[in-house]
Amino acid sequence: MIVEDEQTLREGLADLLAAADHHVEAVENGTDAVAAGQREAFDLVLLDLMLPDLDGVEVCRRLRRARPALAILMLTARGSEDDKVAGLEAGADDYLTKPFAVRELLARIEALGRRATAAPAEPEVIEADGCELDLGRLSARRGEQTVSLTPREAGILRWLHRQRARAVSRGELLERVWGSTGDLQTRTVDMTIANLRQKIERDPAEPRIVLTVTGAGYAWGETEDA
Ligand code: CA
């Protein structure tokens, strides 16, 4: 689904993606986007940040609430760190600053489908410090409480768990989980992990699942389930 109020861009993107064999639905405002997103199971949403009614951050939040596993790529004319962070906090998986190169857009769309954020075919459940992480179904359960994970959060957990014998740098997470081509900053990783800890850690101030390794990055905290 393409959500873009600027007609020329909306139609251009629709043509471009149709030519790349994607089935496309294009809408011009946030209200229509939320309605369509609740009605249909899209693989990916290209979401403009600046919309005439609901802004992209709010649309993202509502789409994410309805469909936790939906891949959302935010398109923004603004390049400030605050806007990017707001988008990521609202649950976007990636963002691209306008004007963007067509090849980069297509590459990011492909990458969203195949990187560490891609859901596995087999159940993928990891028990860590009393929290049951279901990475395939994007949920985390601790006792009676279940919270949803974003594909990005599941991607981080998946990569750290796979690499649990060692620490993983922020740059590596950007590459493996975000598929970053360079304009993202390592602070983005820290913010995403801070949010993730709020969801899964017993005490986010004393994390035991996603550990900070000073001078190196992050590491999986539990190894006995290997
Ligand atoms: Ca716009």
Side-chain angles (χ1 to χ4, degrees):
M1 171 163 65
I2 296 164
V3 189
E4 170 61 65
D5 58 312
E6 196 187 312
Q7 188 186 358
T8 314
L9 184 55
R10 183 174 65 248
E11 291 175 356
L13 285 170
D15 289 347
L16 180 74
L17 293 177
D21 279 338
H22 294 288
H23 295 282
V24 181
E25 179 165 338
V27 300
E28 61 182 66
N29 62 57
T31 312
D32 288 353
V34 172
Q38 285 167 347
R39 190 175 64 232
E40 284 178 60
F42 295 101
D43 295 319
L44 178 102
V45 177
L46 279 185
L47 178 59
D48 184 25
L49 180 64
M50 300 280 274
L51 293 165
D53 52 349
L54 298 172
D55 78 355
V57 168
E58 183 56 28
V59 173
C60 187
R61 199 170 283 130
R62 294 191 195 182
L63 287 173
R64 180 62 74 218
R65 206 180 297 141
R67 296 190 186 271
L70 180 63
I72 299 174
L73 175 56
M74 194 89 96
L75 300 176
T76 166
R78 301 183 282 185
S80 87
E81 186 75 1
D82 283 351
D83 287 332
K84 291 174 182 173
V85 165
L88 294 171
E89 280 187 332
D93 296 294
D94 201 359
Y95 55 81
L96 202 51
T97 306
K98 296 181 196 171
F100 47 81
V102 164
R103 281 180 59 199
E104 183 173 9
L105 174 69
L106 292 175
R108 291 209 184 193
I109 288 173
E110 293 303 317
L112 272 177
R114 69 177 138 75
R115 71 175 75 127
T117 50
E122 296 293 312
E124 191 179 12
V125 180
I126 302 169
E127 181 83 27
D129 192 37
C131 187
E132 187 183 281
L133 302 164
D134 189 335
L135 303 187
R137 298 176 67 95
L138 299 172
S139 67
R141 187 169 62 84
R142 184 180 285 288
E144 298 291 294
Q145 282 236 315
T146 301
V147 295
S148 315
L149 300 172
T150 66
R152 174 143 294 150
E153 290 165 344
I156 290 170
L157 293 169
R158 180 174 293 126
W159 192 253
L160 290 176
H161 185 252
R162 271 187 211 162
Q163 307 299 322
R164 59 190 174 276
R166 62 180 180 86
V168 173
S169 72
R170 291 168 175 81
E172 180 177 337
L173 285 172
L174 282 173
E175 187 186 325
R176 295 292 177 166
V177 181
W178 275 257
S180 171
T181 50
D183 68 328
L184 279 162
Q185 299 186 13
T186 51
R187 196 170 102 81
T188 303
V189 177
D190 298 333
M191 300 230 357
T192 307
I193 286 182
N195 277 342
L196 174 59
R197 282 173 172 159
Q198 295 292 333
K199 294 185 180 180
I200 64 171
E201 298 283 359
R202 208 182 291 276
D203 176 4
E206 296 281 340
R208 296 171 68 176
I209 303 173
V210 176
L211 305 184
T212 299
V213 182
T214 308
Y218 294 97
W220 190 260
E222 299 226 322
T223 51
E224 63 268 32
D225 66 339

